[in-house]
């Protein structure tokens, strides 16, 4: 079983719809992250959480929200999806408390907004 | 990280040859760097890391070289195999610390 599990793997939705992407982990890590990947671009940080109820904005948080109700779960929501949010979304975890941020990634969720 | 637009830099390598993937980083104060490998349909996976007090670190078939003078990082893969075909990313901590920023990636294609 995967240590970092993302659901769904693929999602097609329409402009204006609310979408939630789920991430769960069995690694026991405190830190969780949501990244977005666009074709030909690197990973960009959307939100991150260092503990339950701790929420921090990343580089591109506009249009997104997150929830960290339990250590093992970190969900990403698009309140009103728009086409330029079409991308591959990755959840990641880490247990580092220093600067050595070795991240463990899920398999990704491909989201298409029509 | 650097944006490279819609087209990733691509390195075509003959199976069995060595591969060298380059990365320029932006923060001269960064003291830690990581290389990730992303295969098609999968999330990035950790390959190797290096601290700034080193200029070279070796793993299994991979070597990372760090040149702090010119802020350059490279990943060398020895005897490249078909399973090495992937996109490779370098990453460094953001100036605020405790978060990573990723380069745009380099695609490696291994020719049989």
């Amino acid at each position: 079983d995967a240590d970092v599990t993302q659901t769904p793997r693929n999602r097609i939705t329409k402009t204006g719809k609310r979408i939630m992407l789920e991430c769960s982990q069995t690694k026991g890590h405190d830190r969780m992250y949501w990244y977005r990947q666009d074709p030909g671009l690197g990973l960009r940080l959307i939100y991150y959480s260092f503990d339950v109820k701790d929420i921090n904005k990343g580089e591109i948080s506009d249009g997104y929200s997150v929830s960290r109700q339990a250590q093992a779960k970190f969900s990403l929501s698009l309140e009103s999806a728009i086409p330029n949010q079409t991308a591959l979304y990755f959840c990641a975890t880490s247990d580092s408390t220093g600067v050595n941020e070795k991240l463990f990634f899920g398999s990704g969720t491909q989201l298409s907004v029509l | 990280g650097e944006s490279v637009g819609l087209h990733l830099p691509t390195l075509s390598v003959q199976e069995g040859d060595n591969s060298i993937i380059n990365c320029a980083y932006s923060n001269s104060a960064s003291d830690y760097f990581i290389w990730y490998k992303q295969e098609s349909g999968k999330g990035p996976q950790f390959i190797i890391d290096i601290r700034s007090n080193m200029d070279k670190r070796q793993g299994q078939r991979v070597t990372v070289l760090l040149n702090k003078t010119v802020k350059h990082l490279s990943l060398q893969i020895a005897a490249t195999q078909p399973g090495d075909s992937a996109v490779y990313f370098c990453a460094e901590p953001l100036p605020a610390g405790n978060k990573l920023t990723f380069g745009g990636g380099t695609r490696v294609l291994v020719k049989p």
Side-chain angles (χ1 to χ4, degrees):
Chain A
D1 288 340
D3 294 321
V4 183
T5 303
Q6 292 183 231
T7 55
R9 290 296 310 273
N10 292 281
R11 181 73 185 267
I12 300 173
T13 191
K14 295 182 178 180
T15 298
K17 294 291 187 181
R18 184 178 188 275
I19 296 296
M20 180 179 288
L21 308 183
E22 304 275 7
C23 178
S24 62
Q25 52 116 345
T26 59
K27 300 187 76 67
H29 289 169
D30 291 328
R31 300 183 172 191
M32 298 187 74
Y33 309 78
W34 275 104
Y35 282 88
R36 167 180 173 156
Q37 185 177 37
D38 295 277
L41 298 179
L43 293 144
R44 293 183 290 167
L45 183 63
I46 306 173
Y47 271 98
Y48 62 101
S49 169
F50 285 174
D51 203 348
V52 175
K53 300 296 178 70
D54 175 67
I55 301 295
N56 303 281
K57 291 184 177 181
E59 305 169 67
I60 53 165
S61 59
D62 288 348
Y64 302 94
S65 63
V66 291
S67 175
R68 182 88 185 275
Q69 297 294 328
Q71 188 200 42
K73 296 183 183 296
F74 192 36
S75 60
L76 175 72
S77 294
L78 288 67
E79 298 300 326
S80 180
I82 55 177
N84 75 3
Q85 291 179 310
T86 293
L88 184 56
Y89 290 84
F90 286 104
C91 175
T93 73
S94 74
D95 66 354
S96 302
T97 55
V99 297
N100 293 355
E101 285 289 350
K102 187 182 295 185
L103 297 174
F104 297 85
F105 287 85
S107 296
T109 296
Q110 177 63 57
L111 176 65
S112 298
V113 183
L114 305 179
Chain B
E2 292 183 2
S3 169
V4 294
L6 295 177
H7 301 287
L8 281 173
T10 298
L11 177 66
S12 291
V13 183
Q14 199 70 40
E15 183 177 355
D17 288 351
N18 297 335
S19 304
I20 300 176
I21 306 161
N22 297 303
C23 179
Y25 63 92
S26 54
N27 182 11
S28 58
S30 292
D31 65 352
Y32 180 65
F33 303 89
I34 311 178
W35 280 99
Y36 283 88
K37 172 185 180 183
Q38 185 179 16
E39 297 175 85
S40 180
K42 297 183 180 180
Q45 291 182 294
F46 170 86
I47 304 174
I48 192 169
D49 57 3
I50 188 168
R51 297 199 65 99
S52 61
N53 61 354
M54 304 170 69
D55 52 20
K56 180 180 180 178
R57 189 172 187 205
Q58 289 184 294
Q60 187 177 15
R61 282 200 309 115
V62 295
T63 301
V64 57
L65 299 177
L66 175 61
N67 185 331
K68 294 181 286 292
T69 302
V70 295
K71 294 190 286 186
H72 183 268
L73 197 65
S74 68
L75 179 70
Q76 300 179 2
I77 305 173
T80 311
Q81 301 171 0
D84 296 325
S85 292
V87 177
Y88 292 81
F89 295 96
C90 62
E92 61 176 307
L94 286 171
N98 295 327
K99 299 176 294 296
L100 289 177
T101 184
F102 288 79
T106 297
R107 186 183 306 280
V108 172
L109 295 176
V110 182
K111 298 177 289 185

